[in-house]
Amino acid sequence: MLPNPKPEIQNRIRLTAEEGAWLAGEAGPAIRRAMEIVAALAQIYGAERLTPVASVQISGVSYRNIGAAGLAFLRKWADEGASVRVPTTLNPAAMDLEAWAEQGFDPTFATQQQAVIAAFARMGVGGAGGESGPFPTCTPYLVGNVPRLGESVAWAESSAVAYANSVLGARTNREGGPGAIAAALVGRTGAYGLHLAENRRATLHVRVRVALRTISDYSALGALVGQRAGSRIPYFEGLPLERGAPLWEENLKALGAALAATGAVGVFHVAGVTPEALAGPVLAPAHETTTVADLAPGYAALTDAAARPALIWIGCPHASLAEIALVAELVRGKRLRLPLWITCARPVKAAAVAQGLAGDIAAAGGRLYADACLAIAPVRDLGFAAVMTPSAKGACYLRNLAGVSARFGTLEECIHMAVTGGE
Amino acid sequence: MKLATQLHLEGRVIKAGRAEGEALVSPAPMGFLGGVDAETGIVTEKGHPLEGQCVTGKVLVFPTGKGSTVGSYVLYQLAANGLAPAAILNAESEPIVAVGAIISDIPMVDQLPLERIHTGDFVLVEGARVTVRPRLPADSQG
């Protein structure tokens, strides 16, 4: 091994004196490595400087994804004393950190998944908003990590990125797993892409000429437009949506998640609804126009018609309290023949329990699981070869990540399937 | 005819460091998850130009990275097993291999004219500077 020369300054990006000192190792090895990652990524993406971030959302939490190597690295970083500088929340784990045995997880896997969470906890990752945590979720904005309009953050998790940029008007690119951890340790990320106002204008005008009635209709719309959009920024006109109306945030959550799952969409705008569209014109002079007049192809493209569902999954992205209330209403007094799992953030589950919603769902045979995401779980090992969901993103990832058959339908269709068992 | 001259190149530092070794050049992008076996250091991707070759201790030269983001952690595992490449040189690096190199302490430089480096050349990496000594048929250690 040759001796290390003096740390080469990353000379194509302007760093502050403090950032330069961190890169030189003056704050220890964990911070030096974090600065190396943030600076290298900033350079790769063509940033000229870094920007402070108000919060971080970390991905790469499921042990099924990161494996032994990922866990070893997280432990090393925690051992070096790494500690987050800004409020930081975690993406979902593969399983409910408490009820994993009921879900059917293997104890060895569960131990490894717990160890991943413990390593993050040692780095100070917790619930934003003063709660202890960590509460693994893809909806950090439902558990206190709520960035403000115009504020830069460093979030991984594509659906949360779409929500933060579009619904909240915050600014973030889609960070990768280790990149987001590094951003949390130094409280900065590269100032490029969606952090810059000039890159946030819409380049695809979407004229919606079809009635949208349910949350899953917004999901189907997102799946259709995401495929057409690629990396362009959609501007929706013609949505029957009003700020503050019931479920308006759930509809946008579903729309953004599907856009980001089927396209490389990090931000979208909705006429008269989203903050940047309300503030002024957001459509770039050079843009294309597309029209959506039928949602059926969106549902059909994500449905393996031949496969009979063995499980109904609701909560992709993690369900809000209002969505859990919708399910409770539909199953109250019924007896489900198929297992029904609702995934949500742990504080949301606690609220659902307190309001009696969890009890109503349990009485019908359904279950509320916190922390968990089926898309990143070993679904087939749990005994499910086909899953039905009212989420386009869920169906897409069940196929592509979990490797099982999927069916995408409305919430009513999903509950009907659960009640009848598909007969 | 002149003696073989050393070639001096200057790129952009992704991970600062100093390393030397024999070049192993891939004309195709490389992915590490499912592309390189972390227990042996051998390229396992079917049909890859480097399939069957070992990256351990080599100055690994390829245009850019590809594949799953978990590839960063595969590089880390390679390094933890003592099987990492000595250095990585890219034309244009992307986040997966860049992050992998940084967390694994593998010196890495990009924005280099890779067509001037050939498998078997001796390469010295010092920060942004890359010195290449071409391998000659009758190379007598310079």
Side-chain angles (χ1 to χ4, degrees), chain A residues 72-93:
Chain A
F73 175 68
L74 293 174
R75 280 177 160 157
K76 176 185 167 186
W77 223 341
D79 287 345
E80 288 173 343
S83 183
V84 301
R85 293 179 71 88
V86 294
T88 300
T89 45
L90 273 191
N91 243 21

Side-chain angles (χ1 to χ4, degrees), chain A residues 241-295:
Chain A
L241 203 59
E242 266 179 62
R243 258 185 108 78
L247 301 177
W248 76 282
E249 289 159 308
E250 282 77 5
N251 288 328
L252 292 177
K253 167 162 83 82
L255 176 62
L259 283 169
T262 58
V265 175
V267 62
F268 63 93
H269 305 288
V270 179
V273 179
T274 56
E276 282 163 86
L278 286 171
V282 287
L283 203 52
H287 65 264
E288 289 171 61
T289 301
T290 187
T291 301
V292 178
D294 185 9
L295 297 177

Side-chain angles (χ1 to χ4, degrees), chain B residues 12-76:
Chain B
R12 177 176 72 173
V13 172
I14 297 296
K15 168 64 187 172
R18 183 183 156 91
E20 61 185 26
E22 201 179 292
L24 179 62
V25 181
S26 164
M30 291 197 68
F32 284 83
L33 182 68
V36 178
D37 184 344
E39 304 303 317
T40 62
I42 289 171
V43 178
T44 52
E45 183 182 331
K46 291 274 170 275
H48 193 277
L50 297 189
E51 185 182 354
Q53 306 229 42
C54 182
V55 303
T56 302
K58 298 285 167 50
V59 173
L60 189 57
V61 182
F62 54 97
T64 191
K66 65 170 185 180
S68 165
T69 55
V70 182
S72 303
Y73 290 136
V74 175
L75 259 175
Y76 179 76

Side-chain angles (χ1 to χ4, degrees), chain A residues 2-5 7-8 10 12 32-33 36-37 40-41 43-45 65-66 68-70 72-74 76 178-179 181, chain B residues 11-20 70 72-74 76-77 93-95 98-99 102-103 105 111 124 126-128:
Chain A
L2 295 164
N4 239 19
E8 195 77 28
Q10 315 256 339
R12 301 186 193 186
R32 185 188 65 207
R33 189 181 311 106
E36 284 178 331
I37 292 174
L41 294 177
Q43 293 203 90
I44 288 169
Y45 289 115
N65 287 358
I66 67 169
F73 175 68
L74 293 174
K76 176 185 167 186
I181 303 172
Chain B
R12 177 176 72 173
V13 172
I14 297 296
K15 168 64 187 172
R18 183 183 156 91
E20 61 185 26
V70 182
S72 303
Y73 290 136
V74 175
Y76 179 76
Q77 188 76 68
S93 66
E94 51 61 63
V99 167
I102 293 168
I103 66 179
D105 289 323
Q111 299 190 345
L124 171 66
E126 296 167 291

Side-chain angles (χ1 to χ4, degrees), chain B residues 9 11-12 14-15 19 21-26 28 30 58-65 85-93 97 101 106-114 116-118 122-132:
Chain B
L9 304 172
R12 177 176 72 173
I14 297 296
K15 168 64 187 172
E22 201 179 292
L24 179 62
V25 181
S26 164
M30 291 197 68
K58 298 285 167 50
V59 173
L60 189 57
V61 182
F62 54 97
T64 191
I88 293 175
L89 306 180
N90 280 177
E92 203 61 55
S93 66
V97 176
I106 301 169
M108 178 166 173
V109 182
D110 80 341
Q111 299 190 345
L112 291 164
L114 301 188
R116 306 190 67 179
I117 311 175
H118 303 93
F122 174 83
V123 179
L124 171 66
V125 179
E126 296 167 291
R129 287 183 302 280
V130 176
T131 306
V132 183

